[in-house]
């Protein structure tokens, strides 16, 4: 449960169900990752854990002015162009064109009814980011306390996502930041190199923002995936840098108006 893994993984499953959520799209990777990690020896865990966590550059000079990203026209795999436009207005210059998509439709050819999601946050969704001939993805999901408890199935919440867990290596470059107002932001890198499978996801950055009301905002900042259904080659780097991802996750526009 520690990854809240439903947001990103390797493939959609059970496409015949009435609804294919983002969680279903990524469930396979969670299982692959868990099996791989469960099989890691104690020595290997220690070797991985020996890698130092580095604090990403968070200086304002590394961030660019927002509201200059372009928005691609919606297509049959897309969704709400207004939602994509809202996200694009929050992103720095040079990120690329932004289009809301359905990964279930792209990967498993799900119908609109099967792939329909109930989005809670004002900018929640799955967004393709096109830049320099490649295609990456931003996956944004907000859950309130009740929704998060349901996802966890009554299990305990992680209080420190950077802490080592039995049988699992440390998250790479994991940084936990306690913020004013009881918020906690955790950012880390994930190579997504967890063995064979289709599609093969590229490296990504991951963010979790724990909210004082018990809710959580999760963002996946992915270089994309490789498969016959891929919309383009992997990006050379995630759509957003660490500093840019941090800035986005702290934007009040990602949370419902009070």
């Amino acid at each position: 449960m520690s990854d809240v893994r439903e947001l990103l993984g390797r493939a959609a499953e059970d496409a015949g169900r009435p609804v294919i959520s983002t969680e279903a799209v990524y469930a396979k990777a969670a299982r692959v990752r868990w099996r791989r990690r469960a099989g890691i020896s104690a020595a290997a865990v220690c070797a991985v854990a020996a890698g130092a966590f580095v604090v990403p550059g968070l200086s304002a000079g590394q961030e660019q002015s927002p509201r200059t990203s372009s928005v691609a026209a919606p297509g049959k795999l897309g969704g709400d162009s207004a939602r994509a436009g809202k996200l694009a207005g929050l992103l720095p210059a040079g990120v690329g064109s932004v289009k809301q998509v359905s990964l279930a439709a792209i990967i498993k050819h799900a119908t609109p009814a099967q792939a329909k999601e109930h989005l809670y946050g004002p900018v929640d969704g799955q967004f393709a980011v096109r830049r320099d001939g490649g295609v990456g993805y931003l996956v944004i999901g907000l859950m309130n306390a009740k929704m998060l408890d349901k996802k966890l199935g009554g299990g305990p919440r992680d209080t420190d996502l950077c802490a080592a867990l039995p049988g699992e290596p440390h998250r790479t470059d994991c940084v936990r930041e306690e913020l004013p107002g009881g918020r906690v932001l955790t950012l880390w890198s994930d190579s997504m190199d967890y063995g064979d499978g289709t599609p093969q996801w590229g490296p990504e950055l991951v963010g979790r923002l724990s909210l004082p009301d018990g809710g959580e905002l999760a963002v996946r900042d992915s270089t994309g995936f490789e498969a016959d259904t891929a919309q383009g080659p992997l990006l050379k780097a995630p759509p957003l840098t660490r500093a840019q991802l941090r800035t986005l996750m702290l934007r009040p526009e990602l949370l419902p108006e009070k």
Side-chain angles (χ1 to χ4, degrees), residues 166-257:
E168 293 195 35
H170 282 297
R171 291 181 175 88
T172 305
D173 298 340
C174 189
V175 177
R176 183 178 185 272
E177 183 180 1
E178 295 187 7
L179 301 166
R183 298 171 300 164
V184 178
L185 176 64
T186 308
L187 299 174
W188 69 91
S189 301
D190 194 330
S191 69
M192 293 302 292
D193 184 13
Y194 299 108
D196 296 332
T198 301
Q200 286 287 323
W201 287 89
E204 64 182 40
L205 296 172
V206 187
R208 296 283 186 272
L209 179 64
S210 297
L211 302 170
D213 62 2
E216 181 180 80
L217 173 67
V219 178
R220 296 278 184 172
D221 181 19
S222 171
T223 54
F225 67 87
E226 295 177 321
D228 291 342
T229 56
Q231 295 184 299
L234 299 179
L235 294 179
K236 295 180 180 179
L240 301 179
T241 66
R242 284 175 177 269
Q244 291 167 349
L245 177 59
R246 178 183 183 275
T247 297
L248 175 65
M249 295 193 69
L250 298 182
R251 296 290 296 252
E253 292 90 342
L254 269 62
L255 305 178
E257 293 184 5

Side-chain angles (χ1 to χ4, degrees), residues 47-215:
V48 174
F53 298 142
V54 296
V55 179
L58 301 177
S59 64
Q62 292 178 317
E63 300 168 10
Q64 301 178 48
S65 300
R67 306 186 183 280
T68 53
S69 297
S70 59
V71 182
K76 66 177 182 178
L77 299 178
D80 186 348
S81 60
R83 190 173 287 259
K86 183 181 296 185
L87 174 61
L90 302 175
L91 299 179
V95 168
S97 64
V98 179
K99 174 184 175 182
Q100 188 177 10
V101 297
S102 165
L103 289 169
I106 294 169
I107 296 171
K108 292 294 289 184
H109 308 293
T111 66
Q114 290 171 332
K116 184 177 180 180
E117 291 193 291
H118 302 287
L119 304 176
Y120 175 63
V123 197
D124 282 5
Q126 304 160 30
F127 302 90
V129 180
R130 294 183 178 273
R131 182 175 69 211
D132 299 330
V135 181
Y137 296 91
L138 289 171
V139 180
I140 303 173
L142 176 66
M143 292 184 285
N144 61 26
K146 184 177 180 180
M147 296 164 66
L148 183 56
D149 286 339
K150 183 177 179 180
K151 290 295 181 185
L152 294 176
R157 300 190 184 194
D158 293 312
T159 56
D160 186 352
L161 292 170
C162 291
L165 296 176
E168 293 195 35
H170 282 297
R171 291 181 175 88
T172 305
D173 298 340
C174 189
V175 177
R176 183 178 185 272
E177 183 180 1
E178 295 187 7
L179 301 166
R183 298 171 300 164
V184 178
L185 176 64
T186 308
L187 299 174
W188 69 91
S189 301
D190 194 330
S191 69
M192 293 302 292
D193 184 13
Y194 299 108
D196 296 332
T198 301
Q200 286 287 323
W201 287 89
E204 64 182 40
L205 296 172
V206 187
R208 296 283 186 272
L209 179 64
S210 297
L211 302 170
D213 62 2

